[in-house]
Amino acid sequence: MKISGKDDPLYAKIVIAVLGVILVFAVYAHIRLYTLGTGLWYDEAALAGNIIDRSVRNMLTQPLSNLQTAPLLYLICVKALTVLFGAGEGVLRVFSLIAFLITLPVQALVMRRALGVAKPFVWFGICMTATFGLYFRYSHELKPYMSDTLFVLAVLLAYWWFREGRIRSVAFAAICCIVILFSAPAAFFIAGVFITEILLRLRRKNLRALFPLFGAGVLVLAVFVLNYLFWIQGSVSVSDMQDWWRNYHFDFFAHSSDTIRHNAEILFELFASLGGWRIPLLVFACGGFVCSLRKRHAVTAAVGASVLLLLVASHLKMYPVYDRLWLFVYALSFVYAALFLSAIFTGLAGGKEKPGPLRTAGRVAAIAASFALLIGCSQLTGYATAEEEVKYPGDVTKPLIEYVREHIKEGEKFVGLGNAHLVVGYNNGYGSLRIGNVSEDNIVYSEKFVIAHDAVCVEAQKKAYVLMYQYNSQLEDLLSELRKTGDIELVMDVHQTRLYYYCSADSILRQSIREDQ
């Protein structure tokens, strides 16, 4: 059954119109969140320090500081934007927003052209991507995760163009080389694409067709190896980075109940943001994947090969299984879930015959299931109306730092506890130890997360604003310690990020004496 253009039946046009309204509203919500200008959270500020506070030459020297890693061309693009337009939050994040906006039409093309999804279900797929919570978060964050999703889909689309003869092997290789420098997970999809295409051509015993493919493959492999040796290896080999991700590696050769349980837990946790809807989504997505393989879609075979390669890489402790690192997997899940429902819908079309009541009921059920899945997986209402949804608890420092800048006086200090040096450095200038209209340096950092050490650091300042950054679990213990030597009061609390003012007992006494006199 053809579901496109002027041949759309009335109900299909109504479905597409409804989904079109949802899509427009979702895009508006993404842009709205971007324009709110929320301050950088810790991980963004950690990466921003490598971009803003370094020259281009130093920025391109691995490993990056603050346990950060990012693709080479991503850093260069963001650095170029800051040189041209300044280093505000909006400039740093605009690459991710643009990547999200381009992702939607690219996903639509993959679904419609490469996989043959019926038009109403193409709209379902892109609406699920546009309304998904993690895409709301990462579409305006200084991280390459959103662009990873774009480049993974772009590789699949380019592969389809290549197989259809729309681009030659040289152009396909050039696209792949550029993508490798933009996205780490997309590089695995490029490998999956080449492996799939080689196997398909061997299966057809078309040996002559292998020569241009091998030529393109050698060029792409050379770029991949050079990128790994001179860029990626410098970050993945850092011991602290390996320790951070040590519990998120897939054991590809599970040999015990513990490793099987570990694999199941990290894969299940990967879809935790979908709550109870992850089960029907994964069931539909697996169904769509199988349907697509039965139709011999080369793109789907490449997706399967690529995911296997990623799991092998995870087993080798080279690529952890974690939601933001696998952000592309949600778009792919939406693609194949929509494909499955589309297959049910078109399979019940009945050819030129008028569909009977059972077929009609089945097709209505397919559309109803699509809407149910969209509503269940969507987080549009929360992100469209509230700023709080995109804030990490304990990580909203911008209004607190602005308050200190406006109110701090001569003789007062600003103490940043925890990892505050990164967010304060971005908001106040990297390397600067002075905030506000004062004549002397007044910023002090304590990064120990040790109560005794931090208490001594605060007490030594006599009068100080204290930013309790990422200091939630031990907060009451620290406050109790500080109250032994003075008075500490809460000044601001923004989304569990707290600013206090400390005044030592000695300072309180001197102030009381002056007032009495």
Side-chain angles (χ1 to χ4, degrees):
M1 179 181 179
K2 186 178 181 180
I3 310 290
S4 62
K6 62 182 181 181
D7 295 328
D8 289 353
L10 179 60
Y11 65 84
K13 292 179 180 178
I14 294 173
V15 168
I16 291 171
V18 172
L19 293 172
V21 171
I22 294 173
L23 182 61
V24 169
F25 189 50
V27 171
Y28 158 77
H30 280 271
I31 295 173
R32 172 187 171 273
L33 291 173
Y34 168 78
T35 58
L36 287 175
T38 54
L40 301 188
W41 73 287
Y42 168 75
D43 214 24
E44 288 182 289
L47 182 57
N50 289 282
I51 298 171
I52 300 169
D53 200 34
R54 289 187 177 195
S55 65
V56 174
R57 182 177 180 179
N58 289 335
M59 183 186 72
L60 301 181
T61 303
Q62 284 278 34
L64 300 179
S65 60
N66 308 318
L67 284 181
Q68 294 299 302
T69 181
L72 184 65
L73 286 185
Y74 173 84
L75 287 175
I76 291 174
C77 286
V78 177
K79 180 69 173 181
L81 289 170
T82 62
V83 171
L84 293 173
F85 304 107
E89 291 96 342
V91 175
L92 292 168
R93 292 166 168 165
V94 72
F95 189 92
S96 295
L97 178 65
I98 293 171
F100 164 76
L101 294 175
I102 300 175
T103 293
L104 299 179
V106 172
Q107 178 183 334
L109 286 171
V110 170
M111 294 175 72
R112 185 66 181 153
R113 303 301 181 191
L115 300 175
V117 177
K119 190 175 180 181
F121 296 91
V122 172
W123 285 85
F124 274 116
I126 59 176
C127 280
M128 291 184 72
T129 296
T131 60
F132 181 50
L134 289 179
Y135 290 145
F136 274 113
R137 181 174 295 279
Y138 292 111
S139 68
H140 67 289
E141 188 165 295
L142 176 60
K143 284 291 178 176
Y145 310 131
M146 193 69 245
S147 55
D148 285 340
T149 302
L150 167 62
F151 288 116
V152 164
L153 292 170
V155 167
L156 299 179
L157 181 60
Y159 179 43
W160 179 77
W161 282 342
F162 175 62
R163 285 187 57 82
E164 292 292 307
R166 300 191 179 194
I167 57 175
R168 295 182 180 273
S169 58
V170 174
F172 181 57
I175 292 172
C176 291
C177 290
I178 293 171
V179 167
I180 285 173
L181 301 178
F182 263 117
S183 171
F188 289 94
F189 277 78
I190 290 170
V193 160
F194 273 92
I195 291 171
T196 300
E197 188 61 19
I198 289 172
L199 293 176
L200 289 175
R201 295 190 182 194
L202 286 174
R203 187 171 179 268
R204 293 196 301 267
K205 298 180 180 180
N206 189 0
L207 299 181
R208 182 175 295 180
L210 285 175
F211 290 109
L213 187 64
F214 274 125
V218 168
L219 176 61
V220 172
L221 181 61
V223 172
F224 175 82
V225 171
L226 291 173
N227 184 54
Y228 179 79
L229 292 177
F230 293 102
W231 188 250
I232 296 176
Q233 188 179 36
S235 60
V236 298
S237 60
V238 175
S239 59
D240 288 343
M241 185 78 75
Q242 293 178 347
D243 290 342
W244 181 266
W245 294 112
R246 65 182 180 275
N247 294 322
Y248 293 96
H249 292 293
F250 186 84
D251 193 333
F252 199 79
F253 304 106
H255 52 80
S256 68
S257 59
D258 288 340
T259 55
I260 293 173
R261 187 181 304 110
H262 169 75
N263 288 345
E265 286 175 354
I266 61 175
L267 292 177
F268 202 66
E269 186 180 341
L270 187 62
F271 291 88
S273 60
L274 292 164
W277 285 94
R278 57 186 152 187
I279 299 300
L281 173 66
L282 290 174
V283 169
F284 289 164
C286 290
F289 188 83
V290 172
C291 288
S292 185
L293 285 179
R294 291 185 64 184
K295 293 181 180 180
R296 299 183 178 181
H297 288 149
V299 166
T300 297
V303 169
S306 304
V307 171
L308 286 176
L309 288 173
L310 279 163
L311 292 177
V312 171
S314 181
H315 174 81
L316 298 173
K317 295 180 171 52
M318 295 174 63
Y319 202 82
V321 179
Y322 196 72
D323 57 7
R324 59 179 181 262
L325 300 180
W326 285 62
L327 202 63
F328 55 87
V329 79
Y330 307 109
L332 293 176
S333 299
F334 301 149
V335 165
Y336 285 104
L339 188 153
F340 179 68
L341 293 167
S342 170
I344 293 175
F345 183 84
T346 55
L348 294 171
K352 295 182 179 180
E353 300 176 4
K354 185 177 181 180
L358 288 178
R359 284 179 173 176
T360 301
R363 294 167 71 186
V364 170
I367 292 178
S370 299
F371 271 109
L373 195 63
L374 173 61
I375 294 170
C377 296
S378 171
Q379 293 175 306
L380 174 60
T381 53
Y383 282 97
T385 58
E387 184 181 348
E388 298 299 314
E389 295 288 342
V390 294
K391 294 178 179 177
Y392 292 94
D395 231 316
V396 186
T397 58
K398 184 177 179 179
L400 281 62
I401 295 170
E402 290 176 349
Y403 180 90
V404 173
R405 183 180 293 113
E406 294 175 3
H407 292 85
I408 196 166
K409 300 175 182 177
E410 291 283 0
E412 296 178 331
K413 301 291 185 179
F414 178 36
V415 180
L417 301 183
N419 293 312
H421 67 287
L422 292 172
V423 290
V424 175
Y426 170 75
N427 285 279
N428 195 59
Y430 291 103
S432 173
L433 293 176
R434 186 177 305 177
I435 186 170
N437 186 22
V438 296
S439 59
E440 298 180 350
D441 289 348
N442 57 357
I443 299 178
V444 179
Y445 295 117
S446 178
E447 305 168 31
K448 297 292 187 181
F449 278 109
V450 176
I451 291 177
H453 179 277
D454 291 344
V456 170
C457 178
V458 174
E459 291 163 0
Q461 312 312 318
K462 305 302 181 181
K463 292 183 177 181
Y465 288 95
V466 185
L467 177 59
M468 304 286 192
Y469 186 59
Q470 297 180 336
Y471 218 114
N472 294 323
S473 60
Q474 298 176 300
L475 177 61
E476 289 303 321
D477 293 334
L478 178 59
L479 293 177
S480 297
E481 191 70 23
L482 291 173
R483 289 187 180 111
K484 294 177 182 178
T485 59
D487 182 46
I488 186 163
E489 297 180 355
L490 180 65
V491 178
M492 293 182 70
D493 184 344
V494 182
H495 207 54
Q496 300 179 37
T497 314
R498 299 175 179 91
L499 177 70
Y500 288 85
Y501 187 82
Y502 172 80
C503 188
S504 67
D506 183 50
S507 297
I508 296 172
L509 179 60
R510 288 200 302 267
Q511 179 67 28
S512 177
I513 293 173
R514 283 197 298 268
E515 290 176 355
D516 290 341
Q517 291 175 345

